Amino acid sequence: MSRLIDHTLQFDDIIDVVKREHNQKRSFLFLNRYQAKYIPSNPNDTIVLFKRLAEQIKKQYENQKIVVIGFAETATAIGVVTAQVLGTSTYYIHTTREQYFQKKPLVIFEEEHSHASKHDLYCKDIEALSSAELILLIDDELTTGKTVCNFVESLRQQQVVDKNAKFLVASIVNCMNPQNLQQLQQKQIDCMYLFHQQKHWDTWKWTKEYFSDTRPVDHIGDYRMLQIDGRIEIRQGSRICDYLKACDKLATLILQQCLLECDDQSVLVLGTEECMYPAIYTAQQLTKKYSHLTVVTHATSRSPILPMKQKDYPIKNRSVLPSFYERDRITYLYNLKQYHQVIIVTDSIEIPIQTIQACCSILRQYGNQKITIVQWREI
């Protein structure tokens, strides 16, 4: 039985501490080995981990009207799975750093320690938010709780939630000290988590040798572009059943059109920044259809983490490429290696050609020849 299922995993079994680059506010980042963000993960393990948190929440809050809000970019997929476990009618939305819409955000707040600190919250169904009995905030890790406090304060100031609505923040990892927890309690914000570890992370000593693994754009080669309609813009919110149905249709069409050859043995399904769950779900469906395959999934990220070749350090290589959403934005891809096929799943409205060129070049430098880019377009 997987240790993810039988609940024997401890904090140190899933979390590594890695070095952020050029961040004076917080020099470290918690890397979850099973989260399918920074490093390749088995999609089944990822979903099991997310469901563990969701089921813990459901036991205590099952009979309440809940709106789930995931924090971009690393908690977007955790939020989807949580909303799914809570029930098909649950309303889900995640914050975003993208400038997608021709209207003013409902709420703007800051994640002060982050490389990209500004978050926007949009919501096309204000009634779903204003009538909620519980606002459930989903994050991957809590260190001080300051981002949560900033967000809740913004929601209350904008009066977009009921004055009697309760707030709960849930995370995979909690590293808050007693003073931080007390601050949440004073603001009437409850807290749930799977793993807790309290250390003086801000005094972590980085004495090892790091390097920047940057490769120039070289040979582009052939790649396949698929455009698949049916995307629901989850950044504006949706009933989770509708979003999951759209993700299932996407995965079905990808599997139909990305026919695997009999000698294919390994596949990477790569998400892009906030677009994590569609890639994770597609990877999971691949494992169900092709039991002989080794399938992994992770995503590009805005977070600059320094790689190192030391044996016990998890980030072994780093590739720098333009964002799938904005050509002048730098993003990162970690721990690349060779696969028989790479499937990139993005919800970018317009993919910059520079990004396609850089991404294909980098993938080929690691030996990847069979590349498919799937652009998931809105209904």
Side-chain angles (χ1 to χ4, degrees):
M1 179 183 290
S2 168
R3 295 179 66 200
L4 282 166
I5 297 174
D6 67 14
H7 293 203
T8 63
L9 277 184
Q10 302 299 315
F11 180 93
D12 291 336
D13 294 319
I14 71 161
I15 298 297
D16 284 300
V17 182
V18 293
K19 169 69 172 169
R20 293 179 187 262
E21 184 177 24
H22 305 312
N23 192 318
Q24 301 300 316
K25 293 183 177 179
R26 188 175 295 172
S27 64
F28 62 90
L29 181 144
F30 293 116
L31 186 149
N32 185 328
R33 301 186 193 106
Y34 296 99
Q35 195 175 337
K37 184 57 180 176
Y38 304 110
I39 61 176
S41 304
N42 179 308
N44 296 306
D45 288 342
T46 298
I47 296 297
V48 167
L49 179 65
F50 295 172
K51 282 185 175 179
R52 275 188 55 184
L53 177 65
E55 287 163 357
Q56 182 173 304
I57 297 167
K58 185 176 181 179
K59 287 179 183 177
Q60 190 166 337
Y61 296 93
E62 184 172 13
N63 296 319
Q64 298 192 35
K65 186 175 181 181
I66 302 175
V67 167
V68 180
I69 302 176
F71 283 164
E73 62 184 39
T74 52
T76 56
I78 308 173
V80 172
V81 175
T82 301
Q84 178 185 21
V85 170
L86 289 173
T88 57
S89 63
T90 302
Y91 196 79
Y92 177 65
I93 187 170
H94 72 70
T95 67
T96 183
R97 293 164 174 143
E98 302 300 336
Q99 303 299 313
Y100 263 147
F101 314 113
Q102 302 299 319
K103 53 184 170 181
K104 185 178 178 182
L106 194 63
V107 172
I108 300 173
F109 70 103
E110 295 288 325
E111 185 179 3
E112 296 175 7
H113 65 274
S114 178
H115 49 281
S117 61
K118 181 173 164 289
H119 284 252
D120 292 337
L121 180 73
Y122 297 88
C123 185
K124 64 183 178 183
D125 188 351
I126 303 299
E127 172 63 22
L129 190 59
S130 63
S131 64
E133 298 171 324
L134 177 69
I135 309 297
L136 171 55
L137 312 177
I138 300 293
D139 209 346
D140 59 323
E141 56 94 0
L142 294 171
T143 308
T144 66
K146 194 167 185 179
T147 301
V148 173
C149 290
N150 288 346
F151 184 42
V152 171
E153 184 177 348
S154 297
L155 282 171
R156 286 170 171 161
Q157 286 179 348
Q158 295 297 322
Q159 298 181 335
V160 294
V161 297
D162 189 276
K163 63 179 181 180
N164 296 316
K166 297 178 182 178
F167 286 88
L168 168 68
V169 58
S171 63
I172 303 292
V173 173
N174 182 351
C175 293
M176 291 189 291
N177 60 36
Q179 291 76 27
N180 297 143
L181 285 167
Q182 187 176 23
Q183 289 175 352
L184 285 182
Q185 292 169 357
Q186 289 173 348
K187 293 182 179 294
Q188 297 181 307
I189 305 170
D190 292 331
C191 183
M192 294 182 72
Y193 50 87
L194 285 182
F195 303 97
H196 184 261
Q197 180 73 278
Q198 185 183 327
K199 293 182 180 179
H200 297 292
W201 301 108
D202 289 317
T203 60
W204 191 272
K205 300 298 181 184
W206 303 102
T207 58
K208 300 165 185 172
E209 183 179 352
Y210 297 87
F211 67 93
S212 179
D213 184 12
T214 304
R215 303 186 180 202
V217 174
D218 190 7
H219 175 61
I220 308 302
D222 293 331
Y223 64 92
R224 186 182 183 193
M225 175 70 74
L226 295 178
Q227 293 179 320
I228 297 177
D229 294 333
R231 176 172 66 88
I232 288 177
E233 183 47 87
I234 199 64
R235 295 172 182 84
Q236 294 191 84
S238 169
R239 287 196 312 158
I240 195 61
C241 60
D242 297 330
Y243 182 67
L244 292 171
K245 201 174 295 182
C247 289
D248 185 65
K249 181 182 177 182
L250 170 70
T252 299
L253 291 172
I254 290 174
L255 266 62
Q256 288 175 354
Q257 298 185 54
C258 294
L259 297 176
L260 296 173
E261 298 173 3
C262 60
D263 60 345
D264 283 347
Q265 297 175 3
S266 60
V267 178
L268 166 64
V269 185
L270 186 68
T272 56
E273 300 179 48
E274 296 174 2
C275 182
M276 291 181 61
Y277 182 78
I280 295 169
Y281 182 75
T282 299
Q284 186 185 46
Q285 295 307 107
L286 269 171
T287 67
K288 292 179 179 179
K289 184 173 181 179
Y290 301 99
S291 59
H292 69 285
L293 283 181
T294 298
V295 183
V296 295
T297 180
H298 59 134
T300 61
S301 173
R302 291 195 189 193
S303 296
I305 304 170
L306 286 170
M308 186 177 71
K309 292 181 178 178
Q310 184 168 321
K311 183 178 179 181
D312 60 350
Y313 189 79
I315 300 294
K316 301 301 184 185
N317 63 61
R318 179 179 80 173
S319 301
V320 181
L321 66 153
S323 170
F324 274 77
Y325 302 86
E326 184 181 341
R327 69 178 185 178
D328 295 328
R329 180 198 306 165
I330 295 298
T331 58
Y332 303 89
L333 183 53
Y334 300 100
N335 283 17
L336 264 180
K337 65 176 187 178
Q338 184 175 1
Y339 302 92
H340 289 88
Q341 182 168 184
V342 177
I343 301 170
I344 301 167
V345 180
T346 184
D347 61 357
S348 172
I349 295 174
E350 295 183 11
I351 308 173
I353 187 62
Q354 295 91 337
T355 302
I356 294 174
Q357 292 171 343
C359 191
C360 290
S361 171
I362 289 166
L363 287 169
R364 293 194 191 285
Q365 289 176 41
Y366 281 92
N368 297 286
Q369 300 301 320
K370 194 174 180 181
I371 303 168
T372 301
I373 300 173
V374 180
Q375 184 181 24
W376 194 23
R377 302 187 303 188
E378 196 169 1
I379 295 173

